[in-house]
Amino acid sequence: MNRSITNVLFGAFGNASSSALNSDNAQGTMREINLEDVAVQLAYARQVVFVPGYGMATAQAQHTVRELANALESKGVTIKYAIHPVAGRMPGHMNLLLAEANVPYSSLYELEQVNHEFPSTDVAVVIGANDVVNPDARDNPQSPIAGMPILEVDRARFVVVLKRGNGKGFSGLENPLFFKPATEMLYGDARDSLARLTQAVQQT
Ligand code: NAP
């Protein structure tokens, strides 16, 4: 009863054999998308779900996320934020940062509220999240994170991942999400990418 939620959800890290670390699905190449194409997909979406993680915190991108959300909402796009309980590096990390940027509490959706929304989501925007969106937890019984609840962004129609490069998450595990057919990568610092996306959306 004295275990933290992080310990409960991620307690298996470090105990796995190296052969169990990578799913068979985590192969192939990560496909890059250019910023203008992402802007068009966002501007013409019906619903977009933002999925923030530790990378949003390090980039201090919470205000820029809100600016992009404003630009999209002014075009009639429905915006939701999907919050995983252990996203970031401390309990409530994402809620804290998004509140600082005046994101309305009513736009924040916990894992169990939002997972059923992904199949009807046009674009899921993963903002520096990795472990909390790793489908191996659901699909690979050999994974150290098997059974861990995740945000099921891989069920969205299109997934764009904002990250700087090939960095892994806190767990050090490969993430098969990045290799899926409906996933493309927008490389760069999250705050910079979001700022440039906001400009591009406004011009779309
Ligand atoms: P994560 O798995 O640590 O992944 C963070 C991702 O952000 C990385 O893939 C990294 O890739 C990217 N990134 C870093 N800086 C960036 C930047 N400036 N711009 C864009 N992307 C950037 O994060 P998460 O999905 O939020 O998962 C949290 C992890 O921390 C979990 O494993 C959780 O157990 C653990 N943890 C949580 C808590 C808590 O209480 N919330 C406490 C301790 C540990 P690049 O390097 O390629 O950019």
Side-chain angles (χ1 to χ4, degrees):
M1 292 302 286
N2 291 324
R3 296 170 72 198
S4 68
I5 187 164
T6 306
N7 185 254
V8 170
L9 292 176
F10 292 89
F13 288 176
N15 296 332
S17 66
S18 57
S19 62
L21 293 181
N22 296 327
S23 150
D24 288 345
N25 298 327
Q27 292 173 354
T29 51
M30 299 195 282
R31 277 165 296 106
E32 186 172 1
I33 188 168
N34 70 51
L35 189 118
E36 289 70 27
D37 288 347
V38 178
V40 170
Q41 296 251 21
L42 291 173
Y44 290 100
R46 188 186 57 81
Q47 174 163 286
V48 170
V49 176
F50 290 132
V51 183
Y54 178 62
M56 183 187 80
T58 59
Q60 284 293 293
Q62 61 273 24
H63 297 279
T64 329
V65 179
R66 178 71 204 273
E67 286 160 19
L68 176 58
N70 288 350
L72 290 169
E73 282 171 339
S74 74
K75 291 183 179 291
V77 181
T78 299
I79 301 293
K80 295 180 177 172
Y81 297 78
I83 308 299
H84 192 285
V86 298
R89 289 293 184 273
M90 61 181 186
H93 202 174
M94 299 298 108
N95 302 64
L96 194 71
L97 293 172
L98 294 171
E100 181 192 311
N102 296 317
V103 171
Y105 185 73
S106 58
S107 299
L108 308 187
Y109 291 77
E110 303 296 336
L111 188 135
E112 56 281 356
Q113 297 174 302
V114 78
N115 267 344
H116 71 274
E117 298 258 358
F118 284 116
S120 56
T121 294
D122 301 296
V123 189
V125 184
V126 176
I127 306 166
N130 192 333
D131 293 339
V132 301
V133 293
N134 189 333
D136 256 359
R138 183 194 62 217
D139 300 336
N140 177 9
Q142 303 304 312
S143 171
I145 57 171
M148 180 192 89
I150 53 157
L151 290 163
E152 298 187 309
V153 298
D154 62 319
R155 301 210 194 276
R157 292 173 185 150
F158 176 64
V159 184
V160 58
V161 179
L162 277 55
K163 70 201 300 287
R164 297 163 305 174
N166 293 331
K168 302 230 173 13
F170 181 81
S171 69
L173 297 172
E174 193 61 83
N175 190 337
L177 170 72
F178 303 155
F179 303 92
K180 293 206 171 215
T183 303
E184 303 207 19
M185 319 300 293
L186 182 61
Y187 290 115
D189 175 76
R191 186 166 60 178
D192 179 58
S193 295
L194 289 163
R196 294 192 300 124
L197 275 174
T198 304
Q199 278 188 340
V201 163
Q202 285 164 341
Q203 289 162 9
T204 300

